[in-house]
């Protein structure tokens, strides 16, 4: 069976973009693939985070996976730092990754900002650890949102570099799976910026834990333009906020975008927003409720992570033995 690997950083505020761009698609894929879903806690250390917040967020992302319908029996759910081979392989791959490749990464440029000399080595090496996450399990497919495309191309390049250097085909080149109607959910405050955990305005995003009132308020306040809703998908190109809200509606309702556009054509935003808020509150309310129930029993969540880590570690150890042998690391 082809194998999927994907992950989310436990850095607080899981939002609608994470859900529609990633988690929701994973739920569908678990029937047809051997799936490994990770909570990438080592990646979360690349930017400052409080220890208590990291622990809490790690459990919360785990709860979100399960609450959204990922079955921890069928899939492997674990946190990255429980399997030491991620960092080991990250080092080996880092030795094969030219700086020029890393210098092109737009996420590093955005996150490091102007003061690049003060950005951490971990933030710079971030995509190499991500490649290690995927390649350690010899995953063939990686379902992510659009913002991860460049990192995945790098993962493919790194896999290719390893295979060429050691004259092997040990690593499959991982295939990105970017699909669905909401591969790039945008900020509610600015339709040209992606919805993000790190946006300072909480009004920019719908968090998975927001209640119906918070969702309604945020959608009511969402930026729009003064015209009524368009009657054709082509008109959306010049209207990023309308495009984003209609796209979210289509994704949540599981309807094709043209059908949704046709239904709301010529209506005003306030009507549409009320319907969108109701739809979002129903869809996310179920998940939020289930997350709350799971979070009330952290020991249960930790047990899922421990069991997942045991299963992941078994695969990782076996693959690391081959990798060590390929590169000449003696394991006497
Ligand atoms: P992260 O934690 O930033 O995001 C997790 C997932 O959510 C998707 N996503 C979005 N999709 C649509 N619209 C948005 N506004 C939006 N924001 C986020 C992301 O594309 C991602 O799929 N580097 C990864 C984590 C990672 C990983 C991996 C992923 C580490 N190792 C190995 C896959 C495979 C990240 O920062 O995701």
């Amino acid at each position: 069976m082809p194998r999927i690997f994907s992950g989310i950083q436990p850095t607080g505020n899981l939002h609608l973009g994470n859900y529609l761009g990633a988690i929701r698609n994973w739920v569908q894929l678990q029937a047809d693939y051997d799936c490994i879903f990770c909570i990438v806690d080592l990646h979360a250390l690349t930017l400052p985070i409080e220890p208590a917040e990291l622990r809490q967020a790690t459990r919360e992302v785990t709860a979100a996976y399960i609450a959204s319908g990922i079955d921890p029996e069928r899939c492997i759910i674990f946190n990255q730092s429980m399997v030491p081979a991620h960092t080991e392989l990250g080092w080996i791959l880092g030795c094969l990754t030219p700086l020029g490749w890393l210098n092109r990464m737009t996420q590093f440029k955005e996150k490091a900002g102007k003061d690049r000399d003060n950005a951490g080595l971990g933030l710079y090496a971030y995509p190499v650890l991500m490649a290690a996450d995927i390649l350690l399990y010899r995953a063939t497919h990686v379902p992510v949102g659009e913002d991860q495309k460049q990192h995945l191309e790098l993962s493919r390049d790194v896999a290719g570099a390893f295979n060429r250097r050691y004259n092997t085909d040990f690593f499959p080149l991982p295939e990105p799976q970017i699909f669905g109607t909401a591969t790039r959910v945008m900020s509610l405050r600015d339709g040209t910026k992606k919805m993000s955990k790190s946006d300072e305005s909480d009004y920019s995003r719908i968090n998975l834990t927001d209640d119906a009132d918070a969702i309604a308020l945020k959608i009511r306040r969402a930026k729009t333009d003064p015209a009524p809703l368009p009657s054709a998908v082509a008109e959306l190109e010049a209207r990023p906020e309308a495009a984003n809200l209609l796209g979210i509606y289509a994704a949540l309702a599981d309807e094709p975008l043209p059908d949704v556009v046709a239904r709301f054509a010529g209506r005003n935003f306030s009507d549409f927003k009320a319907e969108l808020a109701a739809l979002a509150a129903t869809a996310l309310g179920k998940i939020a409720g289930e997350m709350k129930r799971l979070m009330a029993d952290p020991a249960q969540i930790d047990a899922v992570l421990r069991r997942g880590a045991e299963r992941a570690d078994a695969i990782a150890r076996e693959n690391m033995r081959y990798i060590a042998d390929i590169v000449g690391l003696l394991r006497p």
Side-chain angles (χ1 to χ4, degrees):
M1 218 192 312
R3 176 173 287 157
I4 275 179
F5 185 99
S6 199
I8 293 184
Q9 295 192 71
T11 45
N13 289 325
L14 268 181
H15 54 72
L16 189 63
N18 300 130
Y19 179 63
L20 294 177
I23 305 175
R24 196 174 73 147
N25 293 342
W26 304 353
V27 175
Q28 288 171 32
L29 294 166
Q30 60 184 335
D32 303 318
Y33 294 83
D34 174 13
C35 289
I36 305 177
F37 297 122
C38 193
I39 298 96
V40 289
D41 49 5
L42 295 172
H43 277 110
L45 293 177
T46 57
L47 289 174
I49 185 165
E50 284 304 315
E53 196 186 325
L54 178 55
R55 269 189 288 273
Q56 166 82 3
T58 300
R59 292 192 178 113
E60 216 164 79
V61 176
T62 310
Y65 287 2
I66 301 169
S68 302
I70 293 169
D71 176 358
E73 293 301 317
R74 193 189 296 183
C75 307
I76 295 178
I77 298 177
F78 78 108
N79 55 318
Q80 188 186 29
S81 64
M82 292 277 284
V83 178
H86 287 250
T87 44
E88 193 179 4
L89 181 57
W91 179 263
I92 294 171
L93 298 177
C95 295
L96 293 171
T97 307
L99 295 188
W101 292 2
L102 295 177
N103 289 337
R104 284 203 292 273
M105 295 296 112
T106 54
Q107 186 173 295
F108 173 75
K109 290 182 204 165
E110 279 162 24
K111 290 193 174 171
K114 285 203 184 77
D115 191 10
R116 252 202 238 178
D117 279 355
N118 267 322
L121 175 61
L123 189 64
Y124 191 60
Y126 180 115
V128 179
L129 181 60
M130 177 161 163
D133 296 339
I134 299 164
L135 300 178
L136 182 57
Y137 302 93
R138 303 173 85 192
T140 51
H141 295 80
V142 186
V144 285
E146 205 168 295
D147 60 330
Q148 294 302 312
K149 203 166 158 187
Q150 193 185 37
H151 285 158
L152 277 181
E153 276 159 14
L154 184 94
S155 297
R156 288 170 64 88
D157 289 345
V158 170
F162 181 97
N163 288 349
R164 273 194 309 281
R165 164 67 183 84
Y166 295 105
N167 195 21
T168 172
D169 56 3
F170 188 75
F171 291 132
L173 302 191
E175 211 49 72
Q177 287 177 312
I178 300 171
F179 66 94
T181 18
T183 55
R184 191 171 174 81
V185 178
M186 308 309 275
S187 158
L188 299 181
R189 311 296 296 160
D190 177 352
T192 62
K193 238 171 70 183
K194 80 168 179 181
M195 185 177 284
S196 152
K197 290 173 199 154
S198 52
D199 196 312
E200 68 276 6
S201 167
D202 202 50
Y203 283 101
S204 70
R205 68 184 156 257
I206 295 174
N207 302 309
L208 287 193
T209 48
D210 284 344
D211 63 19
D213 290 341
I215 293 173
L217 182 63
K218 287 177 179 180
I219 291 179
R220 229 175 14 252
R221 289 219 189 153
K223 185 179 167 198
T224 49
D225 56 43
L229 284 151
S231 50
V233 174
E235 291 171 51
L236 290 177
E237 213 165 303
R239 301 179 63 185
E241 282 83 18
N244 189 37
L245 294 177
L246 285 161
I248 292 172
Y249 188 103
L252 287 173
D254 230 340
E255 284 178 34
L257 182 62
D259 294 5
V260 176
V261 169
R263 172 137 35 95
F264 291 102
R267 305 254 301 267
N268 61 37
F269 271 106
S270 61
D271 291 355
F272 167 69
K273 280 179 165 183
E275 288 196 37
L276 176 59
L279 179 66
T282 311
L284 300 185
K286 275 194 225 123
I287 297 170
E290 187 57 15
M291 274 177 77
K292 209 165 170 183
R293 193 186 67 77
L294 292 162
M295 286 299 284
D297 188 358
Q300 192 66 32
I301 294 183
D302 292 359
V304 168
L305 290 174
R306 255 197 318 274
R307 173 78 192 111
E310 273 168 26
R311 293 162 69 195
D313 197 53
I315 304 170
R317 270 171 198 273
E318 191 181 340
N319 286 340
M320 258 328 284
R321 265 215 320 273
Y322 283 104
I323 295 163
D325 185 51
I326 290 170
V327 304
L329 296 170
L330 200 59
R331 294 281 199 265

